[in-house]
Amino acid sequence: MVHKVQAVVVKEKNAPVSLETILVPDPGPGEALVDILTCGVCHTDLHYKQGAINDDYPFLLGHEATGVVSAVGPDVTEVAPGDRVVLNWRAVCGECRACRKGEPQYCFNTANATQKMTLEDGTELTPALGIGAFAEKTLVAAGQCTKVDDDVDAAAVGLLGCGVMAGIGAAINTGAVQRGESVAVIGCGGVGIAAVAGAKLAGATTIIAVDIDSAKVELALAQGATHGINSKDEDPVEAIRALTGGFGADVVIDAVGRPETYRQAFYARDLAGRVVLVGVPNPEMKIELPLADVFGRGGSLKSSWYGDCLPSRDFPMLVEQYKLGRLDLDAFVTERIGLGDIEEAFTKMHDGKVLRSVVEL
């Protein structure tokens, strides 16, 4: 059986998105059909639209989603019809060298659905991050579905599917923030503020939020930052050191991903401290650092892939923290919109006017 549903597609580089009828097949082996409830508008979707990921147009956009499983393939046991799930783009294989080492959060062979979703004329669609959730239904690998409680706001918990998880995981998983440590976060967009929330959840006692926009710094303070710095007005490296006894922070998270912010992170950390890069740089960007400083300052320089998360472990834990009132996921939902509002939402996101616009279906 093939399902005709409405979905948001971009057909060529930098073209406006369009609402199209697409064809979604019933699930085959290893696959799940999901009725989408909510999907956040993420920078990654904008990157697909702009051609910054690849040129496999047309793209079926959307990936930061919550849904309900409506059907599964014949061999699927991990989820069943009726399950509320958050979708993820790390369906671990269990067999690659990372999985065999007991580090499935780094799985190098993650799975997507085998069958293709198409336009009505048969043109195959490339789903964003193997998900494609700006749609009434989507087809994914069953391992991309993580079952969560259904008594919580779908719009809020769906953000764990990408940006919020990336930020929280950068602090908790990659940065391994410990109780009593100091953390600085450079860049207070959605991912950076999630990193602030993650540092608070981990028990950091000094959490410094840095941005060139004072309004974003204020949002970070509301999510648990203890200090805010507008880096337009003062040198963030000196300011972070001043707030940490002159030494620098134990962990500095670069949630921007530019050479200048990475350099700030490198020099704003304490000796033997950790730098975590979670902001995604452009391919042309380069960084130059004195090798003697890399050696002499010690510690570690880490990149955070999807917050180094394991969805089956991290999503349910964070939903539980949300239910207990320790993680304010509601604060990340700036507005709730429809499928026809995504082009405008991209503009608001690009202009820094929202943490997340969330499509509700």
Side-chain angles (χ1 to χ4, degrees):
M1 182 177 177
V2 174
H3 306 266
K4 287 188 176 184
V5 301
Q6 294 294 292
V8 173
V9 172
V10 61
K11 295 184 177 180
E12 57 187 36
K13 185 175 179 177
N14 283 324
V17 300
S18 57
L19 193 58
E20 305 284 343
T21 298
I22 69 167
L23 306 181
V24 183
D26 267 343
E31 296 175 340
L33 184 67
V34 179
D35 293 329
I36 300 299
L37 298 174
T38 66
C39 187
V41 180
C42 177
H43 271 92
T44 303
D45 295 304
L46 182 58
H47 291 160
Y48 273 106
K49 180 178 182 289
Q50 295 170 336
I53 306 292
N54 57 54
D55 59 357
D56 293 335
Y57 294 93
F59 291 116
L60 172 58
L61 299 180
H63 60 279
E64 202 175 60
T66 304
V68 176
V69 176
S70 62
V72 298
D75 60 343
V76 172
T77 58
E78 55 264 61
V79 290
D83 286 346
R84 171 79 68 87
V85 294
V86 173
L87 300 183
N88 70 78
W89 40 277
R90 179 166 282 162
V92 300
C93 71
E95 298 175 353
C96 71
R97 58 194 186 280
C99 289
R100 289 199 304 270
K101 286 192 297 185
E103 296 180 334
Q105 70 273 20
Y106 301 131
C107 179
F108 303 136
N109 190 29
T110 57
N112 295 316
T114 301
Q115 298 182 89
K116 297 295 185 180
M117 294 178 279
T118 70
L119 296 173
E120 286 190 286
D121 65 4
T123 302
E124 292 186 354
L125 295 164
T126 302
L129 292 177
I131 294 175
F134 287 150
E136 294 168 323
K137 291 179 182 286
T138 194
L139 184 72
V140 295
Q144 292 179 272
C145 300
T146 302
K147 186 176 178 181
V148 296
D149 296 341
D150 59 7
D151 59 349
V152 291
D153 181 11
V157 299
L159 301 184
L160 293 172
C162 188
V164 170
M165 184 69 252
I168 293 175
I172 291 178
N173 295 330
T174 316
V177 173
Q178 303 298 306
R179 292 188 299 274
E181 286 196 311
S182 57
V183 178
V185 178
I186 300 174
C188 296
V191 172
I193 292 180
V196 166
K200 178 184 177 183
L201 200 60
T205 49
T206 299
I207 305 172
I208 304 164
V210 181
D211 202 280
I212 60 174
D213 184 337
S214 294
K216 291 184 178 181
V217 173
E218 289 300 319
L219 288 172
L221 290 167
Q223 274 291 87
T226 58
H227 303 81
I229 297 168
N230 186 321
S231 52
K232 267 189 174 179
D233 301 334
E234 57 184 321
D235 181 344
V237 175
E238 293 304 318
I240 290 168
R241 287 178 176 171
L243 291 167
T244 53
F247 302 116
D250 295 304
V251 180
V252 184
I253 298 169
D254 178 3
V256 179
R258 294 186 58 84
E260 55 269 34
T261 54
Y262 192 84
R263 180 179 288 275
Q264 290 166 359
F266 181 83
Y267 285 109
R269 65 182 173 131
D270 196 0
L271 292 174
R274 287 99 73 195
V275 172
V276 176
L277 175 63
V278 66
V280 182
N282 293 332
E284 317 83 58
M285 292 178 177
K286 299 183 184 299
I287 182 74
E288 184 173 314
L289 290 167
L291 194 56
D293 286 357
V294 175
F295 174 78
R297 297 190 65 80
S300 61
L301 309 177
K302 298 183 174 184
S303 298
S304 185
W305 299 343
Y306 198 6
D308 291 340
C309 79
L310 186 60
S312 60
R313 174 196 67 198
D314 293 342
F315 288 8
M317 178 272 291
L318 292 172
V319 169
E320 187 64 22
Q321 295 301 307
Y322 169 52
K323 292 173 68 174
L324 290 169
R326 297 171 181 163
L327 176 61
D328 186 6
L329 294 177
D330 296 320
F332 290 89
V333 182
T334 307
E335 63 174 0
R336 297 164 191 258
I337 62 174
L339 278 177
D341 303 320
I342 290 172
E343 193 69 47
E344 183 181 358
F346 280 142
T347 301
K348 292 178 182 176
M349 179 183 65
H350 183 267
D351 293 343
K353 295 180 178 177
V354 295
L355 283 181
R356 272 297 185 268
S357 303
V358 180
V359 174
E360 291 188 317
L361 288 97

